Each structure stands twice: as structure tokens, then as C-alpha cells.
Amino acid sequence: QFFTDKNELVNRIVDDLIACHHSLFKICQYDAKDAIEEVLMQANAPFDTWATVNQVFFFELEKSFPDVWAKLEQHKQNVLLPGIMKNLERGIQENLYREDIDVAFTADVRIQQLSSALQPSGFTGRRLNVSQLMNELTVFSLHGITTEKGKKILSKYLKNRNENRSTNK
């Protein structure tokens, strides 16, 4: 009753999702002590915004609302991709990421991981929810690009996260 039609409703939902994600993504960039913490933070709050949405919504969106789907694609290209590339460059400068990584390629791979995490049924073996899959893919990715210094910091963050989970049970 608050919207003129379904298209307006879907547009509003997607605009709100994008705005929420963008805000949380930027907060993580600003608050993180280093590039690794930034990635770990972004795998949680900003991504949880998308994880709460039934995945059928995205399939229907792509099929039935191509103009709205294009907004998501623009967000991916104009916010996510540059943000990931900025993080990779930051990590290289901090000597946490290997200097020999191809930043553009690695950012593209990360975008694919983010997209894949929204479709956990595509992964065989262990059944993980979207948030668990996102965390697994994030750790996998970080192990592939970190230096020895970065691996030590990553290990510390993961240990702290696991201890916090154990304490909160």
C-alpha cells in the first residue's frame, strides 16, 4: 500500500540493501587497524546484509527486474571492486600481502568469491550457511595472498575470533 507498484518496492529494497552495505563497507575500511582486519570485518557486517536475503530473491531480480539488477552490478563495479583493490594495495604497502600479486586479477577473484558465497548450494561436501561460507572463503583468500608477517597477523585475528566465539557460547 506504500508503493505504487512491485517495481517501486523492489527498487526501494535494493536501494536500501546497497546503501546499508556501502555504509558498513566504508566503516570497515575506516575502522580497521590494517588490511587484514578490514577484510575480516567486511566478511561479517556488510556481507551479513546480503546473507539475510533469501537467495531466490536475487535469481528473480536478475530474471524479472533487469534494471534493478543493473544497480547491483554497478555497486559491484563502482564500490566493491575499487574497495577490494584499495585493500590489496594497502596490504602490499603494509607488507601484509605479497607484492607479486596481480591486484586486478586478485580483486576479480574476490568478487567471484563474494558472489559464490551467496550460493552455498554450489559447494559440495560440508553444508555451510552463507555467513560460514563467506568466512571460509575469506580465510582461504587471505592465506593465498599474505606474506609471513601477514600470516602471523591473520593467525592472531583468527585465534581471537575463535576465542570470542567460545566465550559467547
Side-chain angles (χ1 to χ4, degrees):
Q1 75 188 35
F2 300 105
F3 301 95
T4 56
D5 60 16
K6 193 175 188 178
N7 202 33
E8 184 183 348
L9 173 64
V10 171
N11 260 298
R12 176 67 69 82
I13 290 169
V14 170
D15 287 345
D16 287 351
L17 277 171
I18 289 171
C20 181
H21 180 268
H22 189 181
S23 174
L24 292 169
F25 190 76
K26 291 293 183 186
I27 288 169
C28 293
Q29 286 176 322
Y30 181 78
D31 287 350
K33 291 182 224 98
D34 55 57
I36 293 172
E37 185 179 43
E38 179 183 331
V39 172
L40 292 171
M41 289 169 68
Q42 287 171 346
N44 290 312
F47 194 77
D48 286 347
T49 303
W50 303 103
T52 60
V53 178
N54 186 319
Q55 301 315 302
V56 174
F57 174 79
F58 293 109
F59 293 119
E60 288 298 319
L61 193 65
E62 184 176 16
K63 184 174 71 174
S64 304
F65 299 91
D67 293 342
V68 181
W69 181 257
K71 286 183 182 184
L72 289 176
E73 291 299 316
Q74 287 175 338
H75 177 68
K76 192 187 304 183
Q77 292 302 313
N78 298 334
V79 175
L80 285 180
L81 192 59
I84 292 167
M85 291 177 78
K86 184 177 175 183
N87 172 270
L88 292 167
E89 291 163 358
R90 175 183 179 183
I92 292 168
Q93 289 175 346
E94 295 172 340
N95 295 316
L96 300 177
Y97 299 161
R98 298 183 352 248
E99 62 183 38
D100 65 337
I101 62 173
D102 180 330
V103 170
F105 175 78
T106 305
D108 284 341
V109 169
R110 184 66 178 152
I111 289 287
Q112 290 303 313
Q113 284 182 326
L114 296 173
S115 297
S116 295
L118 291 173
Q119 301 167 6
S121 62
F123 288 82
T124 58
R126 294 177 30 208
R127 291 287 170 216
L128 302 172
N129 66 39
V130 173
S131 294
Q132 290 170 321
L133 182 56
M134 185 67 237
N135 282 311
E136 291 292 327
L137 289 169
T138 298
V139 171
F140 179 79
S141 175
L142 286 169
H143 275 296
I145 63 173
T146 50
T147 61
E148 288 304 315
K149 176 183 173 185
K151 288 184 190 322
K152 288 177 185 170
I153 290 173
L154 174 59
S155 185
K156 180 185 81 171
Y157 285 135
L158 295 176
K159 181 180 178 201
N160 288 343
R161 183 174 71 179
N162 290 336
E163 287 173 358
N164 289 338
R165 284 183 184 158
S166 296
T167 307
N168 293 333
K169 286 186 178 179

